[in-house]
Amino acid sequence: MSTETAAPGDASRVELSIGGMTCAACANRVERKLNKLAGVTATVNYATEKARVDFADGVTVDDLIAQVEATGYTAQPPPPPPDPDAPGGSAPTAEEAAASADDGRLRALRDRLAISAVLTVPVIALAMVPAWQFTNWQWISLALAWPVVVWGAWPFHKAAWTNLRHGASTMDTLVSMGTLAALGWSVYALLFGTAGEAGMTHPFRFTIERTDGSANIYLEAAAGVTTFILAGRYFEARAKRRSGAALRALLELGARDVGVLRGGREERVPVERLVVGDAFVVRPGEKIATDGEVIEGSSAVDASMLTGESAPVEVAVGDTVTGATVNAGGRLVVRATRIGADTQLARMARLVEDAQNGKARVQRLADRISGVFVPVVIALAAATLGFWWGTGGGLAPAFTAAVAVLIIACPCALGLATPTALLVGTGRGAQLGILIKGPEVLESTQRVDTIVLDKTGTVTEGRMTLLAVRPADGEDETEVLRLAGVLENASEHPIARAIAQAATERVGSLPAPEEFANVEGLGVRGTVDGHAVLVGRPRLLVDRALTLPAEVERALAGAEAEGRTAVVVAWDGAARGVLVVADAIKPTSAEAIERFRALGLTPMLLTGDNATVAASVARQVGIDEDQVIAEVLPTDKAEVITRLRSEGRTVAMVGDGVNDAAALATADLGLAMGTGTDVAIEAADLTLVSGDPRAAGDAIRLARRTLSTIKGNLFWAFAYNVAALPLAAAGLLNPMLAGAAMAFSSVFVVSNSLRLRRFHATKAA
């Protein structure tokens, strides 16, 4: 048993698996009980059957487990990580063990449902069709029904008894009381009334009307309600398992073993044995075992499983690669830089699970209501029984109405309204490369009316790129680029790297210059193919008394007007052309701006660059000139967000750098590009794995759709109970019809949540 303790002033966190919960009221009770401990903050989720507990001041995990058990439920700490060196091979992971346990519980529930259904069908058929009611049919019905009510409904009875011992009541209390009351009344009528006489028959009408149950038995109601509720529980459990499939799929993406280079030889080992710094081989078609840096080879990597991008990414020596992506080309040797819980895959899984374990305000409202709902319903059932019996309506009709009240009120739909939508919505988001950090984010997306975008790395690529070659009259464009590329290839300056890369892509490999020298702050000079070449700022040429032709002057002025960097190329004493370099705008940025406007958002550009560059970028992507905020220091970005909020705006911020972290945290909704820094990702509410700005629109649409689904689920759950309870209290619903309606409401809520699985990213225009 774990006895992890938090040092004074520190906080520890543990995730406990809670057993025995059958409804949201159970989760509410466990949560309240845990939060009564000093220094403990707990969140219990019925859908995932887990408690996320932060504890301090000397509290131990044993204390937490004891507190849960005192409430009548079970709790288990997470299992220790598997030891890959243990004999007998690698042990199953915690996720695999949990999935296996879930499968076992689902099979047991399915078997209980199947046997109950086989026994219940003839009981219902005999009760519904008077022509089939042969002599002593009622005793056959009793023989078939009592195993269903006693054994089939045993989980409900057990939970009800546990809750009763602790002075509480839950949905299972209603089910247990209703079915046992119906069975008990039927046994009484058979043994001590007239229902047990040979030749007894009674009609059955599946209609909404007041019925007189004198001399009747309710075995079909007791067995039918049990089977209907078991069916609802089974479909709910299966849907919950399917809802969490995205998280399990993320965890299963990683490689199982890896070829590590040790002592010059390749050795296949379980991926758990990798350590930071290990070099491992990735052959074509294999998954990359963990995050790392390419140290040998080049290839195309298919990252579609993680990012949703269909086009493979070209990687070479020095490029970073992500674990679980697939090597689609040549052989690579990768040095591991992150392993285990530090990898991007593990971080994605953590974010998904955090969102599924969290609670929005709408869920807390549902939990509070379900916590008081059950005792109110029991009181209403008692009042119904007393009213109809006291007003001379007869014990049998009064009893029938009271049982119907108990059954119809089961708050299954209420308890599942929020968790299932969160499970499906966050899981679908993970599949699309949209990671929702917490469910409270959903409510922020509903109110957002302004979206502020950082320029570098968000709207633009975040790296210098050659955009154009402007040759002087009579000069060849390719030759201008080639000679400049050869010289710049010997430099490490970002602008030089952009020119050299463009030259390599256009003319192929570049030879080494015959002579090279750096002119600090101005450019470079050297000899290429016998030509004395200069590449740099216009001043580099002016200082050497070289004149600039009119067309070169025009090219320089045009580039500067657009906020771009102009590099002049000269050789043999004459200016030959201009290279235009800038941080290229992402090809999808303009489309992303259109999508933001379609969502009712006002797009703004926030950057530390000068006003000319910012205005040029804004103009190209479609942001209004009056919505550009330029020349902002990194430390002032958060102040800009605060000012916008003080103006009454609800602000979303999209960024990717360390300098965006404070602004992301300050905004009502922070969206981090997954291609950015870890600091930005941790500060944001949503992470866009692909780095495509269009994904921000998809993220907001998905979050809004998920919140809308939660609200719809809650509405129908409340409307169902409000509408059905008066009918049941009025004696217009028999218990079996009430049970069928109750089970249907739960299946409806789960099915409505599963519609989120059909959410798709907006197609390119």
Side-chain angles (χ1 to χ4, degrees), residues 607-692:
T607 179
D609 265 351
N610 64 66
T612 302
V613 173
S616 174
V617 171
R619 186 168 54 252
Q620 293 179 70
V621 299
I623 295 177
D624 296 337
E625 186 176 344
D626 60 346
Q627 302 296 341
V628 178
I629 305 174
E631 301 179 9
V632 180
L633 296 175
T635 54
D636 295 336
K637 286 189 174 183
E639 294 180 10
V640 171
I641 300 298
T642 301
R643 176 172 58 80
L644 291 173
R645 295 181 67 193
S646 69
E647 296 172 358
R649 302 176 187 244
T650 303
V651 182
M653 169 73 187
V654 188
D656 74 321
V658 174
N659 60 343
D660 298 321
L664 289 168
T666 303
D668 296 283
L669 178 69
L671 300 97
M673 311 301 276
T675 51
T677 64
D678 290 347
V679 176
I681 291 171
E682 290 300 324
D685 302 305
L686 293 164
T687 300
L688 314 174
V689 176
S690 67
D692 185 339

Side-chain angles (χ1 to χ4, degrees), residues 35-103:
N35 285 324
K36 287 181 180 179
L37 287 174
V40 170
T41 302
T43 301
V44 181
N45 190 295
Y46 166 55
T48 58
E49 297 182 337
K50 289 182 179 179
R52 177 67 58 85
V53 188
D54 293 309
F55 57 99
D57 298 327
V59 178
T60 67
V61 175
D62 289 339
D63 296 333
L64 302 175
I65 293 174
Q67 189 80 342
V68 174
E69 291 176 345
T71 316
Y73 303 91
T74 63
Q76 290 184 338
D83 180 6
D85 297 319
S90 180
T93 65
E95 291 78 18
E96 291 170 337
S100 177
D102 287 343
D103 287 338

Side-chain angles (χ1 to χ4, degrees), residues 49-234:
E49 297 182 337
K50 289 182 179 179
R52 177 67 58 85
V53 188
D54 293 309
F55 57 99
D57 298 327
V59 178
T60 67
V61 175
D62 289 339
D63 296 333
L64 302 175
I65 293 174
Q67 189 80 342
V68 174
E69 291 176 345
T71 316
Y73 303 91
T74 63
Q76 290 184 338
D83 180 6
D85 297 319
S90 180
T93 65
E95 291 78 18
E96 291 170 337
S100 177
D102 287 343
D103 287 338
R105 286 193 293 268
L106 193 62
R107 282 194 301 270
L109 184 56
R110 181 192 61 197
D111 294 343
R112 190 178 296 271
L113 169 62
I115 295 172
S116 297
V118 169
L119 295 174
T120 299
V121 167
V123 175
I124 295 177
L126 288 173
M128 289 179 63
V129 185
W132 293 353
Q133 293 172 2
F134 51 84
T135 303
N136 293 325
W137 66 274
Q138 64 271 42
W139 296 100
I140 300 297
S141 293
L142 176 62
L144 295 172
W146 79 261
V148 176
V149 178
V150 175
W151 174 80
W154 179 249
F156 311 137
H157 305 322
K158 181 180 178 182
W161 174 247
T162 300
N163 291 321
L164 180 62
R165 286 169 47 211
H166 292 86
S169 57
T170 66
M171 185 194 70
D172 294 294
T173 308
L174 299 178
V175 176
S176 180
M177 287 178 61
T179 55
L180 288 177
L183 177 64
W185 177 267
S186 299
V187 171
Y188 173 83
L190 287 170
L191 295 177
F192 304 104
T194 59
E197 296 177 356
M200 186 278 289
T201 62
H202 69 71
F204 179 86
R205 290 182 293 273
F206 205 68
T207 56
I208 299 178
E209 62 181 4
R210 187 172 298 132
T211 59
D212 182 358
S214 299
N216 290 340
I217 56 176
Y218 296 93
L219 295 171
E220 77 282 359
V225 163
T226 298
T227 302
F228 278 128
I229 295 178
L230 280 173
R233 288 279 175 91
Y234 171 71

Side-chain angles (χ1 to χ4, degrees), residues 354-378:
D354 285 346
Q356 293 173 343
N357 280 335
K359 290 189 178 183
R361 286 193 294 270
V362 285
Q363 168 134 356
R364 295 191 183 101
L365 173 63
D367 286 347
R368 287 197 300 270
I369 292 174
S370 62
V372 301
F373 187 71
V374 174
V376 170
V377 167
I378 293 175

Side-chain angles (χ1 to χ4, degrees), residues 414-429:
L414 186 64
L416 289 166
T418 299
T420 53
L422 282 175
L423 281 166
V424 183
T426 55
R428 180 58 181 151

